Coordinates of all heavy atoms in Angstrom, one line a residue:
K574 N -53.1 -13.5 149.1 CA -53.3 -13.1 147.7 C -52.9 -14.1 146.7 O -53.5 -14.3 145.7 CB -52.6 -11.8 147.5 CG -53.3 -10.6 148.0 CD -52.6 -9.4 147.4 CE -53.5 -8.2 147.6 NZ -53.0 -7.0 147.1
M575 N -51.7 -14.8 146.9 CA -51.2 -15.7 146.0 C -52.2 -16.9 145.9 O -52.3 -17.5 144.8 CB -49.8 -16.2 146.4 CG -49.0 -16.8 145.4 SD -48.8 -15.7 144.0 CE -47.2 -16.0 143.6
E576 N -52.8 -17.3 147.0 CA -53.7 -18.5 147.0 C -54.9 -18.1 146.1 O -55.4 -19.0 145.4 CB -54.1 -18.8 148.4 CG -55.0 -20.0 148.5 CD -54.2 -21.3 148.2 OE1 -53.0 -21.4 148.5 OE2 -54.9 -22.2 147.7
A577 N -55.4 -16.9 146.2 CA -56.6 -16.5 145.4 C -56.3 -16.5 143.9 O -57.1 -16.7 143.1 CB -57.1 -15.2 145.9
A578 N -55.1 -16.1 143.6 CA -54.7 -16.1 142.2 C -54.6 -17.5 141.6 O -54.8 -17.6 140.4 CB -53.3 -15.3 142.1
R579 N -54.2 -18.4 142.4 CA -54.0 -19.8 141.9 C -55.4 -20.5 141.7 O -55.5 -21.5 141.0 CB -53.1 -20.6 142.8 CG -51.7 -20.2 142.7 CD -50.9 -21.1 143.6 NE -49.5 -20.6 143.6 CZ -48.6 -21.0 144.5 NH1 -48.9 -21.9 145.4 NH2 -47.4 -20.5 144.5
R580 N -56.4 -20.1 142.5 CA -57.7 -20.8 142.5 C -58.3 -20.9 141.1 O -58.7 -22.0 140.7 CB -58.6 -20.2 143.5 CG -59.7 -21.1 143.9 CD -60.5 -20.6 145.1 NE -59.7 -20.5 146.2 CZ -59.7 -19.5 147.1 NH1 -60.6 -18.5 147.0 NH2 -58.9 -19.5 148.2
P581 N -58.4 -19.8 140.3 CA -59.0 -20.0 139.0 C -58.2 -20.9 138.1 O -58.8 -21.7 137.3 CB -59.1 -18.6 138.4 CG -58.9 -17.7 139.6 CD -58.2 -18.4 140.6
M582 N -56.9 -20.9 138.2 CA -56.1 -21.8 137.4 C -56.3 -23.2 137.8 O -56.4 -24.1 136.9 CB -54.6 -21.4 137.6 CG -53.7 -22.2 136.7 SD -54.0 -22.0 135.0 CE -52.4 -21.5 134.5
A583 N -56.5 -23.5 139.1 CA -56.7 -24.8 139.5 C -58.1 -25.3 139.1 O -58.3 -26.5 138.7 CB -56.6 -24.9 141.0
Q584 N -59.1 -24.4 139.1 CA -60.4 -24.8 138.6 C -60.4 -25.1 137.1 O -61.0 -26.1 136.7 CB -61.4 -23.7 138.9 CG -61.7 -23.5 140.4 CD -62.6 -22.3 140.7 OE1 -62.8 -21.5 139.8 NE2 -63.2 -22.3 141.9
A585 N -59.7 -24.3 136.4 CA -59.6 -24.5 134.9 C -58.9 -25.8 134.6 O -59.3 -26.6 133.7 CB -58.9 -23.4 134.2
M586 N -57.8 -26.1 135.3 CA -57.1 -27.4 135.1 C -57.9 -28.6 135.5 O -57.9 -29.6 134.9 CB -55.8 -27.4 135.9 CG -54.7 -26.5 135.4 SD -54.3 -26.9 133.7 CE -53.3 -28.4 134.0
G587 N -58.7 -28.4 136.6 CA -59.6 -29.5 137.0 C -60.7 -29.8 136.0 O -61.0 -31.0 135.7
A588 N -61.2 -28.8 135.4 CA -62.3 -28.9 134.4 C -61.6 -29.6 133.1 O -62.2 -30.5 132.5 CB -62.9 -27.6 134.0
L589 N -60.4 -29.1 132.8 CA -59.7 -29.7 131.6 C -59.4 -31.2 131.8 O -59.6 -32.0 130.9 CB -58.5 -28.9 131.3 CG -57.6 -29.4 130.2 CD1 -58.4 -29.2 128.9 CD2 -56.3 -28.6 130.1
M590 N -58.9 -31.5 133.0 CA -58.6 -32.9 133.3 C -59.9 -33.8 133.3 O -59.8 -34.9 132.9 CB -57.9 -33.0 134.6 CG -56.5 -32.4 134.6 SD -55.4 -33.1 133.3 CE -55.1 -34.7 133.9
G591 N -61.0 -33.2 133.7 CA -62.2 -34.0 133.7 C -62.7 -34.3 132.3 O -63.1 -35.4 132.0
T592 N -62.5 -33.3 131.4 CA -62.9 -33.6 130.0 C -62.0 -34.6 129.3 O -62.4 -35.4 128.6 CB -63.0 -32.3 129.2 OG1 -61.8 -31.7 129.2 CG2 -64.1 -31.4 129.7
L593 N -60.7 -34.4 129.6 CA -59.7 -35.3 129.0 C -59.9 -36.7 129.6 O -59.7 -37.7 128.8 CB -58.3 -34.8 129.3 CG -57.9 -33.6 128.5 CD1 -56.5 -33.2 128.9 CD2 -57.9 -33.8 127.0
R594 N -60.2 -36.9 130.8 CA -60.4 -38.2 131.4 C -61.5 -39.0 130.7 O -61.4 -40.1 130.4 CB -60.7 -38.1 132.9 CG -60.6 -39.4 133.6 CD -60.9 -39.3 135.1 NE -59.9 -38.4 135.7 CZ -60.2 -37.2 136.4 NH1 -61.5 -36.9 136.5 NH2 -59.3 -36.5 136.9
G595 N -62.6 -38.3 130.4 CA -63.7 -38.9 129.7 C -63.3 -39.2 128.2 O -63.7 -40.2 127.6
K596 N -62.5 -38.4 127.6 CA -62.1 -38.6 126.2 C -61.2 -39.7 126.0 O -61.3 -40.5 125.1 CB -61.5 -37.3 125.7 CG -61.1 -37.3 124.2 CD -60.7 -36.0 123.7 CE -60.4 -36.1 122.2 NZ -61.3 -35.5 121.4
F597 N -60.2 -39.9 126.9 CA -59.2 -40.9 126.7 C -59.5 -42.2 127.4 O -58.8 -43.2 127.2 CB -57.8 -40.4 127.2 CG -57.3 -39.3 126.4 CD1 -57.3 -38.0 126.8 CD2 -56.8 -39.6 125.1 CE1 -56.8 -37.0 126.0 CE2 -56.3 -38.6 124.3 CZ -56.3 -37.3 124.8
S598 N -60.5 -42.3 128.2 CA -60.8 -43.5 128.9 C -61.7 -44.4 128.0 O -62.7 -44.0 127.4 CB -61.6 -43.2 130.2 OG -62.0 -44.4 130.8
N599 N -61.3 -45.7 127.9 CA -62.1 -46.6 127.1 C -63.2 -47.3 127.9 O -64.1 -47.9 127.4 CB -61.2 -47.7 126.5 CG -60.4 -47.2 125.4 OD1 -60.9 -46.4 124.6 ND2 -59.1 -47.6 125.4
R600 N -63.2 -47.1 129.2 CA -64.2 -47.7 130.1 C -65.5 -46.8 130.0 O -66.6 -47.3 130.3 CB -63.8 -47.8 131.5 CG -62.7 -48.8 131.7 CD -62.2 -48.8 133.2 NE -61.2 -49.7 133.4 CZ -61.3 -50.9 134.0 NH1 -62.5 -51.2 134.5 NH2 -60.3 -51.7 134.1
Q601 N -65.4 -45.6 129.7 CA -66.6 -44.7 129.7 C -67.1 -44.5 128.3 O -67.4 -43.4 127.9 CB -66.2 -43.3 130.3 CG -65.7 -43.4 131.7 CD -65.2 -42.1 132.2 OE1 -65.2 -41.1 131.5 NE2 -64.8 -42.0 133.5
G602 N -67.3 -45.6 127.6 CA -67.9 -45.5 126.3 C -66.9 -45.3 125.2 O -65.7 -45.6 125.3
H603 N -67.4 -44.6 124.1 CA -66.5 -44.4 122.9 C -65.4 -43.5 123.2 O -65.6 -42.4 123.8 CB -67.4 -43.9 121.8 CG -66.8 -43.8 120.5 ND1 -66.2 -44.9 119.9 CD2 -66.6 -42.7 119.7 CE1 -65.7 -44.5 118.8 NE2 -65.9 -43.2 118.6
S604 N -64.2 -43.8 122.7 CA -63.0 -43.0 123.0 C -62.8 -41.9 122.0 O -61.8 -41.2 122.0 CB -61.8 -43.9 123.2 OG -61.6 -44.5 121.9
K605 N -63.7 -41.9 121.0 CA -63.6 -40.9 119.9 C -62.3 -40.9 119.1 O -61.8 -39.9 118.7 CB -63.9 -39.5 120.5 CG -65.2 -39.4 121.2 CD -65.6 -38.0 121.3 CE -66.8 -38.0 122.2 NZ -68.0 -37.4 121.8
G606 N -61.8 -42.1 119.0 CA -60.6 -42.2 118.1 C -59.3 -41.7 118.8 O -58.3 -41.5 118.1
A607 N -59.3 -41.5 120.1 CA -58.1 -41.0 120.7 C -56.9 -42.0 120.6 O -55.8 -41.7 120.2 CB -58.3 -40.6 122.1
F608 N -57.2 -43.3 121.0 CA -56.3 -44.4 120.9 C -57.0 -45.6 120.4 O -58.2 -45.8 120.6 CB -55.7 -44.7 122.3 CG -54.9 -43.6 122.9 CD1 -55.4 -42.8 124.0 CD2 -53.7 -43.3 122.4 CE1 -54.7 -41.8 124.5 CE2 -52.9 -42.3 123.0 CZ -53.5 -41.5 124.0
P609 N -56.3 -46.5 119.8 CA -57.0 -47.8 119.4 C -57.2 -48.6 120.6 O -56.4 -48.6 121.5 CB -55.9 -48.5 118.5 CG -54.6 -47.8 118.8 CD -55.0 -46.4 119.3
L610 N -58.4 -49.3 120.6 CA -58.7 -50.1 121.8 C -58.0 -51.4 121.7 O -58.2 -52.2 120.8 CB -60.3 -50.3 121.8 CG -60.8 -51.0 123.0 CD1 -60.5 -50.3 124.3 CD2 -62.3 -51.2 122.9
T611 N -57.2 -51.7 122.7 CA -56.4 -52.9 122.8 C -56.7 -53.6 124.1 O -57.4 -53.0 124.9 CB -54.9 -52.7 122.7 OG1 -54.5 -51.9 123.9 CG2 -54.5 -51.9 121.5
S612 N -56.2 -54.8 124.3 CA -56.5 -55.5 125.5 C -55.8 -54.8 126.7 O -56.2 -55.0 127.9 CB -56.0 -56.9 125.4 OG -54.7 -57.0 125.1
K613 N -54.8 -54.0 126.5 CA -54.1 -53.3 127.6 C -54.9 -52.1 128.0 O -54.9 -51.6 129.1 CB -52.7 -52.9 127.2 CG -51.7 -54.0 127.2 CD -50.3 -53.5 127.2 CE -49.4 -54.6 127.5 NZ -48.1 -54.1 127.9
R614 N -55.6 -51.4 127.0 CA -56.4 -50.2 127.3 C -57.8 -50.5 127.7 O -58.5 -49.6 128.2 CB -56.4 -49.3 126.1 CG -55.0 -48.8 125.7 CD -55.1 -47.7 124.7 NE -53.8 -47.2 124.4 CZ -53.1 -46.3 125.1 NH1 -53.6 -45.8 126.2 NH2 -51.9 -46.0 124.7
G615 N -58.4 -51.7 127.4 CA -59.8 -51.9 127.6 C -60.0 -52.5 129.1 O -59.0 -52.5 129.9
P616 N -61.2 -52.9 129.3 CA -61.5 -53.5 130.7 C -60.7 -54.8 130.9 O -60.1 -55.3 129.9 CB -63.0 -53.8 130.6 CG -63.5 -53.0 129.5 CD -62.4 -52.7 128.5
R617 N -60.7 -55.3 132.1 CA -59.9 -56.5 132.5 C -60.2 -57.7 131.6 O -59.3 -58.4 131.3 CB -60.2 -56.8 133.9 CG -59.3 -57.9 134.5 CD -59.6 -58.1 135.9 NE -59.5 -56.9 136.6 CZ -59.8 -56.7 137.9 NH1 -60.2 -57.8 138.6 NH2 -59.6 -55.6 138.5
D618 N -61.5 -57.9 131.2 CA -61.8 -59.1 130.5 C -61.9 -58.8 129.0 O -62.5 -59.7 128.3 CB -63.2 -59.6 131.0 CG -64.3 -58.6 130.9 OD1 -64.0 -57.4 130.7 OD2 -65.5 -59.0 131.0
F619 N -61.4 -57.7 128.5 CA -61.5 -57.4 127.1 C -60.5 -58.2 126.3 O -59.3 -58.3 126.6 CB -61.2 -55.9 126.8 CG -61.3 -55.5 125.4 CD1 -62.5 -55.4 124.8 CD2 -60.2 -55.3 124.7 CE1 -62.6 -55.1 123.4 CE2 -60.3 -54.9 123.3 CZ -61.5 -54.8 122.7
Y620 N -60.9 -58.9 125.2 CA -60.0 -59.7 124.3 C -60.4 -59.4 122.9 O -61.5 -59.7 122.5 CB -60.2 -61.2 124.6 CG -59.4 -62.0 123.7 CD1 -58.0 -62.1 123.8 CD2 -60.0 -62.7 122.6 CE1 -57.2 -62.9 122.9 CE2 -59.2 -63.5 121.7 CZ -57.9 -63.6 121.9 OH -57.1 -64.3 121.0
K621 N -59.5 -58.8 122.2 CA -59.9 -58.3 120.8 C -59.4 -59.4 119.8 O -60.1 -59.6 118.8 CB -59.2 -57.0 120.5 CG -59.6 -56.4 119.2 CD -59.0 -55.0 119.1 CE -59.5 -54.3 117.9 NZ -59.0 -53.0 117.8
G622 N -58.3 -60.1 120.0 CA -57.8 -61.0 119.0 C -57.1 -60.3 117.9 O -56.9 -59.0 118.0
K623 N -56.6 -61.0 117.0 CA -55.8 -60.4 115.9 C -56.4 -60.5 114.5 O -55.8 -60.4 113.5 CB -54.4 -61.1 115.9 CG -53.6 -61.0 117.1 CD -53.1 -59.7 117.3 CE -52.2 -59.6 118.5 NZ -51.7 -58.3 118.8
G624 N -57.7 -60.9 114.5 CA -58.4 -61.0 113.2 C -58.2 -62.3 112.5 O -58.5 -62.5 111.3
A625 N -57.7 -63.3 113.2 CA -57.5 -64.6 112.6 C -58.8 -65.4 112.5 O -59.7 -65.2 113.4 CB -56.5 -65.4 113.4
K626 N -59.0 -66.2 111.5 CA -60.2 -67.0 111.4 C -60.1 -68.3 112.1 O -59.0 -68.9 112.2 CB -60.5 -67.2 109.9 CG -60.7 -65.9 109.1 CD -61.0 -66.2 107.7 CE -61.3 -64.9 106.9 NZ -61.5 -65.1 105.5
S627 N -61.2 -68.8 112.5 CA -61.3 -70.0 113.2 C -61.1 -71.2 112.3 O -61.6 -71.2 111.2 CB -62.6 -70.2 113.9 OG -62.8 -71.5 114.4
T628 N -60.3 -72.2 112.7 CA -60.1 -73.4 111.8 C -60.7 -74.6 112.4 O -60.5 -75.7 111.9 CB -58.6 -73.6 111.6 OG1 -58.0 -73.8 112.9 CG2 -57.9 -72.5 110.9
G629 N -61.5 -74.5 113.4 CA -62.1 -75.6 114.1 C -63.0 -75.2 115.2 O -63.5 -74.1 115.2
R630 N -63.2 -76.1 116.1 CA -64.1 -75.8 117.3 C -63.6 -76.5 118.5 O -62.8 -77.5 118.4 CB -65.5 -76.2 117.0 CG -65.7 -77.7 116.7 CD -67.2 -78.0 116.4 NE -67.3 -79.4 116.3 CZ -67.6 -80.3 117.3 NH1 -67.6 -79.8 118.5 NH2 -67.7 -81.6 117.0
L631 N -64.1 -76.1 119.7 CA -63.8 -76.8 120.9 C -64.9 -77.7 121.3 O -66.1 -77.4 121.1 CB -63.6 -75.8 122.1 CG -62.3 -75.0 122.1 CD1 -62.4 -73.9 123.2 CD2 -61.2 -75.9 122.4
T632 N -64.5 -78.9 121.8 CA -65.5 -79.9 122.2 C -65.9 -79.6 123.6 O -65.4 -78.7 124.3 CB -65.0 -81.3 122.1 OG1 -63.9 -81.5 123.0 CG2 -64.6 -81.7 120.7
K633 N -66.9 -80.4 124.2 CA -67.3 -80.2 125.6 C -66.1 -80.4 126.5 O -66.1 -79.8 127.6 CB -68.4 -81.1 125.9 CG -69.7 -80.8 125.2 CD -70.8 -81.7 125.6 CE -72.1 -81.4 124.9 NZ -73.1 -82.4 125.2
K634 N -65.2 -81.3 126.2 CA -64.1 -81.6 127.0 C -62.9 -80.6 126.9 O -61.9 -80.8 127.5 CB -63.6 -83.0 126.8 CG -64.6 -84.1 127.1 CD -64.1 -85.4 126.9 CE -65.2 -86.5 127.3 NZ -64.8 -87.8 127.1
G635 N -63.1 -79.7 126.0 CA -62.0 -78.7 125.8 C -61.0 -79.1 124.8 O -59.9 -78.5 124.7
I636 N -61.3 -80.1 123.9 CA -60.3 -80.5 122.9 C -60.6 -79.8 121.6 O -61.8 -79.7 121.2 CB -60.4 -82.0 122.7 CG1 -60.1 -82.8 124.0 CG2 -59.5 -82.5 121.6 CD1 -60.4 -84.2 124.0
F637 N -59.6 -79.2 121.0 CA -59.8 -78.5 119.7 C -59.8 -79.5 118.6 O -58.9 -80.2 118.4 CB -58.7 -77.5 119.6 CG -58.9 -76.6 118.4 CD1 -59.8 -75.5 118.5 CD2 -58.2 -76.8 117.2 CE1 -60.0 -74.7 117.4 CE2 -58.4 -75.9 116.1 CZ -59.3 -74.9 116.2
V638 N -60.9 -79.4 117.8 CA -61.0 -80.3 116.6 C -60.9 -79.5 115.4 O -61.7 -78.5 115.2 CB -62.4 -81.1 116.7 CG1 -62.5 -81.9 115.4 CG2 -62.5 -81.9 117.9
V639 N -60.0 -79.8 114.5 CA -59.8 -79.0 113.3 C -60.8 -79.5 112.3 O -61.0 -80.7 112.1 CB -58.4 -79.3 112.7 CG1 -58.2 -78.6 111.4 CG2 -57.3 -78.8 113.7
Q640 N -61.5 -78.5 111.6 CA -62.5 -78.8 110.6 C -61.9 -78.6 109.3 O -61.6 -77.4 108.9 CB -63.7 -78.0 110.9 CG -64.4 -78.3 112.2 CD -65.6 -77.4 112.5 OE1 -65.5 -76.2 112.2 NE2 -66.6 -78.0 113.2
P641 N -61.7 -79.6 108.4 CA -61.0 -79.4 107.1 C -61.6 -78.4 106.2 O -60.9 -77.7 105.5 CB -61.0 -80.8 106.5 CG -61.3 -81.7 107.6 CD -62.1 -81.0 108.7
H642 N -63.0 -78.2 106.3 CA -63.6 -77.3 105.3 C -63.3 -75.8 105.7 O -63.5 -74.9 104.9 CB -65.1 -77.5 105.3 CG -65.8 -77.2 106.5 ND1 -65.9 -78.1 107.6 CD2 -66.5 -76.1 106.9 CE1 -66.6 -77.5 108.6 NE2 -67.0 -76.3 108.2
K643 N -62.8 -75.6 106.9 CA -62.4 -74.3 107.4 C -61.0 -73.9 107.1 O -60.6 -72.8 107.2 CB -62.7 -74.1 108.9 CG -64.2 -74.0 109.2 CD -64.3 -73.7 110.7 CE -65.7 -73.3 111.1 NZ -65.8 -72.8 112.4
L644 N -60.2 -74.9 106.7 CA -58.8 -74.6 106.4 C -58.6 -73.9 105.0 O -59.4 -74.2 104.1 CB -58.0 -75.9 106.4 CG -57.8 -76.6 107.7 CD1 -57.1 -77.9 107.6 CD2 -57.1 -75.7 108.7
E645 N -57.7 -73.1 104.9 CA -57.4 -72.4 103.6 C -56.7 -73.4 102.7 O -55.8 -74.1 103.1 CB -56.6 -71.2 103.8 CG -57.3 -70.0 104.5 CD -56.5 -68.7 104.5 OE1 -55.8 -68.5 103.5 OE2 -56.7 -68.0 105.4
E646 N -57.1 -73.3 101.4 CA -56.5 -74.2 100.4 C -55.9 -73.3 99.4 O -56.5 -72.5 98.7 CB -57.6 -75.1 99.8 CG -57.0 -76.0 98.8 CD -58.1 -76.9 98.2 OE1 -59.2 -77.1 98.8 OE2 -57.9 -77.4 97.0
F647 N -54.6 -73.4 99.2 CA -53.8 -72.6 98.3 C -53.7 -73.4 97.0 O -53.1 -74.5 97.0 CB -52.4 -72.3 98.8 CG -52.5 -71.4 100.0 CD1 -52.2 -72.0 101.3 CD2 -52.8 -70.1 100.0 CE1 -52.3 -71.2 102.4 CE2 -52.9 -69.3 101.1 CZ -52.6 -69.8 102.3
V648 N -54.2 -72.8 95.9 CA -54.1 -73.5 94.6 C -52.9 -72.8 93.8 O -53.0 -71.6 93.5 CB -55.4 -73.3 93.8 CG1 -55.3 -74.0 92.4 CG2 -56.5 -73.9 94.6
V649 N -51.9 -73.6 93.6 CA -50.7 -73.1 92.9 C -50.6 -73.7 91.5 O -50.6 -75.0 91.4 CB -49.4 -73.4 93.7 CG1 -48.2 -72.9 93.1 CG2 -49.5 -72.9 95.1
P650 N -50.5 -72.9 90.5 CA -50.4 -73.5 89.1 C -49.0 -74.2 88.9 O -48.0 -73.8 89.6 CB -50.6 -72.3 88.2 CG -50.2 -71.1 89.0 CD -50.5 -71.5 90.4
D651 N -49.0 -75.1 88.0 CA -47.7 -75.7 87.6 C -46.9 -74.7 86.8 O -47.3 -74.3 85.7 CB -48.0 -77.0 86.8 CG -46.7 -77.7 86.4 OD1 -45.7 -77.6 87.2 OD2 -46.7 -78.4 85.4
L652 N -45.7 -74.4 87.2 CA -44.9 -73.4 86.6 C -43.7 -74.0 85.8 O -42.7 -73.2 85.6 CB -44.4 -72.4 87.6 CG -45.5 -71.6 88.3 CD1 -44.9 -70.7 89.4 CD2 -46.3 -70.8 87.4
E653 N -43.7 -75.2 85.5 CA -42.6 -75.8 84.8 C -42.6 -75.3 83.3 O -43.6 -75.2 82.7 CB -42.7 -77.4 84.7 CG -42.2 -78.0 86.0 CD -42.1 -79.5 85.8 OE1 -41.7 -80.0 84.8 OE2 -42.4 -80.2 86.8
G654 N -41.5 -74.9 82.9 CA -41.3 -74.4 81.5 C -41.7 -72.9 81.4 O -41.8 -72.4 80.3
C655 N -42.0 -72.3 82.5 CA -42.4 -70.9 82.5 C -41.2 -70.0 82.4 O -40.2 -70.2 83.2 CB -43.2 -70.5 83.7 SG -43.8 -68.8 83.7
D656 N -41.2 -69.0 81.5 CA -40.0 -68.1 81.4 C -40.0 -67.0 82.4 O -39.0 -66.3 82.6 CB -40.0 -67.5 80.0 CG -39.8 -68.5 78.9 OD1 -39.2 -69.6 79.3 OD2 -40.2 -68.3 77.8
L657 N -41.1 -66.8 83.1 CA -41.1 -65.7 84.1 C -40.3 -66.0 85.3 O -40.3 -67.1 85.8 CB -42.6 -65.4 84.5 CG -43.5 -64.9 83.4 CD1 -44.9 -64.7 83.9 CD2 -43.0 -63.6 82.8
Q658 N -39.7 -65.0 85.9 CA -39.0 -65.1 87.1 C -39.8 -64.6 88.3 O -40.7 -63.7 88.1 CB -37.6 -64.3 87.0 CG -36.7 -64.8 85.9 CD -36.2 -66.2 86.2 OE1 -35.8 -66.5 87.3 NE2 -36.3 -67.1 85.2
P659 N -39.5 -65.1 89.5 CA -40.4 -64.7 90.6 C -40.2 -63.3 91.1 O -41.0 -62.7 91.8 CB -40.0 -65.7 91.7 CG -38.7 -66.2 91.4 CD -38.6 -66.1 89.9
Y660 N -39.1 -62.6 90.8 CA -38.8 -61.3 91.3 C -38.6 -60.3 90.2 O -38.2 -60.7 89.1 CB -37.5 -61.3 92.2 CG -37.7 -62.2 93.4 CD1 -37.0 -63.4 93.4 CD2 -38.4 -61.8 94.5 CE1 -37.2 -64.3 94.5 CE2 -38.6 -62.7 95.6 CZ -37.9 -63.9 95.6 OH -38.1 -64.7 96.6
V661 N -38.9 -59.1 90.4 CA -38.6 -58.0 89.5 C -37.6 -57.1 90.0 O -37.6 -56.7 91.2 CB -39.9 -57.2 89.2 CG1 -39.7 -56.0 88.3 CG2 -41.0 -58.1 88.7
S662 N -36.6 -56.8 89.2 CA -35.5 -55.9 89.6 C -35.9 -54.5 89.9 O -36.9 -54.0 89.2 CB -34.4 -55.9 88.6 OG -33.4 -55.0 88.9
Y663 N -35.3 -53.8 90.8 CA -35.6 -52.4 91.1 C -35.2 -51.5 90.0 O -35.7 -50.4 89.8 CB -35.0 -52.0 92.4 CG -35.7 -52.5 93.6 CD1 -35.1 -53.5 94.4 CD2 -36.9 -52.0 94.0 CE1 -35.8 -54.0 95.5 CE2 -37.5 -52.4 95.2 CZ -37.0 -53.5 95.9 OH -37.6 -54.0 97.0
T664 N -34.2 -52.0 89.1 CA -33.8 -51.1 88.0 C -34.7 -51.3 86.8 O -34.4 -50.6 85.8 CB -32.3 -51.6 87.6 OG1 -32.3 -52.9 87.3 CG2 -31.4 -51.4 88.8
T665 N -35.7 -52.1 86.8 CA -36.6 -52.2 85.7 C -37.4 -50.9 85.5 O -37.9 -50.3 86.5 CB -37.6 -53.3 86.0 OG1 -36.9 -54.5 86.3 CG2 -38.5 -53.5 84.8
P666 N -37.4 -50.4 84.3 CA -38.1 -49.1 84.1 C -39.6 -49.2 84.3 O -40.2 -50.3 83.9 CB -37.8 -48.7 82.6 CG -37.4 -50.0 82.0 CD -36.8 -50.9 83.1
K667 N -40.2 -48.2 84.8 CA -41.7 -48.3 85.0 C -42.4 -48.0 83.7 O -42.0 -47.1 83.0 CB -42.1 -47.2 86.1 CG -41.6 -47.6 87.5 CD -42.1 -46.6 88.5 CE -41.6 -47.1 89.9 NZ -42.2 -46.2 90.9
L668 N -43.5 -48.7 83.5 CA -44.3 -48.5 82.3 C -45.4 -47.5 82.6 O -46.0 -47.5 83.7 CB -44.9 -49.8 81.8 CG -43.9 -50.9 81.4 CD1 -44.6 -52.2 81.1 CD2 -43.0 -50.4 80.3
S669 N -45.8 -46.7 81.6 CA -46.9 -45.8 81.7 C -48.2 -46.6 81.4 O -48.2 -47.7 80.9 CB -46.8 -44.6 80.8 OG -46.9 -45.0 79.5
K670 N -49.3 -46.0 81.8 CA -50.6 -46.6 81.5 C -50.8 -46.8 80.0 O -51.4 -47.8 79.6 CB -51.7 -45.8 82.1 CG -51.8 -45.8 83.6 CD -52.9 -45.0 84.1 CE -52.9 -44.9 85.6 NZ -54.0 -44.2 86.2
L671 N -50.3 -45.9 79.2 CA -50.5 -46.0 77.7 C -49.7 -47.2 77.2 O -50.2 -48.0 76.4 CB -50.0 -44.8 77.1 CG -50.1 -44.7 75.5 CD1 -51.6 -44.8 75.1 CD2 -49.5 -43.4 75.0
Q672 N -48.5 -47.4 77.7 CA -47.6 -48.6 77.3 C -48.3 -49.9 77.7 O -48.3 -50.8 77.0 CB -46.2 -48.4 77.9 CG -45.4 -47.3 77.3 CD -44.1 -47.2 78.0 OE1 -44.0 -47.4 79.2 NE2 -43.1 -46.7 77.2
T673 N -48.8 -50.0 78.9 CA -49.4 -51.2 79.4 C -50.7 -51.5 78.6 O -51.0 -52.7 78.3 CB -49.8 -51.2 80.9 OG1 -50.6 -50.0 81.2 CG2 -48.5 -51.1 81.7
A674 N -51.5 -50.5 78.2 CA -52.6 -50.7 77.4 C -52.3 -51.2 76.0 O -52.9 -52.1 75.4 CB -53.5 -49.4 77.3
E675 N -51.2 -50.7 75.4 CA -50.7 -51.2 74.1 C -50.2 -52.6 74.2 O -50.4 -53.4 73.3 CB -49.6 -50.3 73.6 CG -50.0 -48.9 73.2 CD -48.8 -48.0 72.9 OE1 -47.7 -48.5 72.9 OE2 -49.1 -46.8 72.5
M676 N -49.6 -53.0 75.3 CA -49.1 -54.3 75.5 C -50.3 -55.3 75.6 O -50.2 -56.5 75.1 CB -48.2 -54.4 76.7 CG -46.9 -53.7 76.5 SD -45.9 -53.7 78.0 CE -45.4 -55.4 78.0
Q677 N -51.4 -54.9 76.2 CA -52.5 -55.8 76.4 C -53.3 -56.1 75.1 O -54.0 -57.0 75.0 CB -53.4 -55.3 77.5 CG -52.8 -55.4 78.8 CD -53.7 -54.8 79.9 OE1 -54.8 -54.2 79.6 NE2 -53.3 -54.9 81.2
E678 N -53.2 -55.1 74.1 CA -53.9 -55.3 72.9 C -53.3 -56.2 71.9 O -52.4 -56.8 71.9 CB -54.1 -53.9 72.2 CG -55.0 -53.0 73.0 CD -55.1 -51.6 72.4 OE1 -54.4 -51.3 71.4 OE2 -55.8 -50.8 72.9

């Protein structure tokens, strides 16, 4: 009798595990947002990267050649004689939108 009582529960758990296996697995298509797809969760040859931009290219011999037009160029203005300081204190009072609009006029 006890075995017959456990059988529907085992069937329900098997069906539940089957649906969860498809939902959480990244190999079986879209994971429906359950987990972010990373190189640890994806297939063996999956490489996502970190969103960095390429700064050059690889030659036939495997040597990386930097291309200057792909490098970022930071333009910094000359700040000599500027009264502004680089940091703002946390104790500085916050301005309302009305006050900032009056200051810009």
